[in-house]
Amino acid sequence: MSAILLVDDHPIVLQGCRTLLEATGAAVLTAATLPAGYRIALRHHPAVAVIDLAFPGRDLAGLALLRRLQARAPRTRCLVFSMHADPGIVARALEAGALGYVLKDAPASDLIQAVERVRAGRPYLDGTLAAEVALLRSDPRRQVLGRMSPRERRILVLLAEGRSYTAIAGDLSVSYKTVTNACAALRQRLGLGTLTELTHFAVQHARDLA
């Protein structure tokens, strides 16, 4: 049976998932870093790579591994196993090459089912996530929201709190011009004409930005 590769920087998660999947008869490989996961995938050609998104130093760094495996090891099917339930992040993972997405607070049986489906070449999303991703893709502005950088999202959060450009620049340790340029770019991408409209958008989507 082809192996399953687990890539996660939390030892307890790695061990728990390994024990769970080995109980199904699967051969399991593990990696605690993204570079190690990439090397193991190229060397052993696992059938499925189960990848976390969050790694020290850079949130959502697992997206880069998804893209690299899609380009260099397309026969390895990728499943994301993450704490992030934001439909924008789920959509980004699917666009990066994931065939399925499982939340870390899901029942253990969901992970087993997801691995089996992905190994068979079938997509896996639970019903709630699937509905939220479909809604996101039907709303162009929510699509933009899902693709924003962490800095852009933080700027919108601060705008929603009523902070001025100067205050935001101070909080983020960037220049005033950097903030104004970022807001201008966001207005253009969202089809909004004024700062007031951008602020209203930020307030309306505050929960999605958190």
Side-chain angles (χ1 to χ4, degrees), residues 145 153 156-157 160-161 200-210:
L145 184 63
R153 297 170 76 90
L156 287 184
V157 167
E161 294 174 356
H200 286 167
F201 175 88
V203 171
Q204 291 168 358
H205 295 276
R207 190 183 68 163
D208 299 324
L209 292 164

Side-chain angles (χ1 to χ4, degrees), residues 6-201:
L6 301 173
V7 186
D8 196 299
D9 66 312
H10 295 91
I12 293 176
V13 174
L14 274 183
Q15 185 56 50
C17 290
R18 180 172 192 162
T19 300
L20 179 69
L21 294 171
E22 285 181 337
T24 70
V28 179
L29 306 169
T30 63
T33 67
L34 294 170
Y38 182 64
R39 290 193 300 270
I40 291 171
L42 294 187
R43 184 180 305 125
H44 296 283
H45 308 288
V48 178
V50 180
I51 301 169
D52 191 9
L53 293 182
F55 284 80
R58 183 184 161 203
D59 197 22
L60 304 185
L63 292 173
L65 178 59
L66 290 172
R67 296 187 187 100
R68 295 182 74 186
L69 292 181
Q70 185 177 45
R72 294 292 306 277
R75 287 185 292 180
T76 293
R77 292 163 176 151
C78 295
L79 171 68
V80 170
F81 186 49
S82 173
M83 65 179 183
H84 291 293
D86 183 332
I89 294 175
V90 178
R92 290 173 65 184
L94 298 177
E95 290 167 2
L99 190 56
Y101 198 107
V102 182
L103 296 176
K104 285 190 173 181
D105 61 1
S109 58
D110 284 13
L111 178 60
I112 294 173
Q113 181 184 8
V115 168
E116 291 174 349
R117 286 178 64 94
V118 168
R119 180 160 47 192
R122 298 160 59 198
Y124 180 89
L125 278 178
D126 76 24
T128 300
L129 279 183
E132 290 178 347
V133 171
L135 178 63
L136 174 69
R137 288 174 169 171
S138 69
D139 183 342
R141 286 182 178 173
R142 288 183 65 86
Q143 289 184 41
V144 174
L145 184 63
R147 296 188 177 96
M148 287 179 187
S149 69
R151 176 183 287 179
E152 290 172 332
R153 297 170 76 90
R154 183 59 182 159
I155 287 172
L156 287 184
V157 167
L158 294 173
L159 279 177
E161 294 174 356
R163 308 296 292 278
S164 67
Y165 282 163
T166 301
I168 293 172
D171 282 356
L172 300 182
S173 299
V174 298
S175 70
Y176 178 91
K177 186 175 181 180
T178 295
V179 176
T180 60
N181 287 346
C183 288
L186 286 170
R187 291 201 310 271
Q188 182 177 12
R189 286 158 57 193
L190 291 164
L192 301 172
T194 66
L195 174 60
T196 299
E197 291 177 348
L198 182 63
T199 301
H200 286 167
F201 175 88

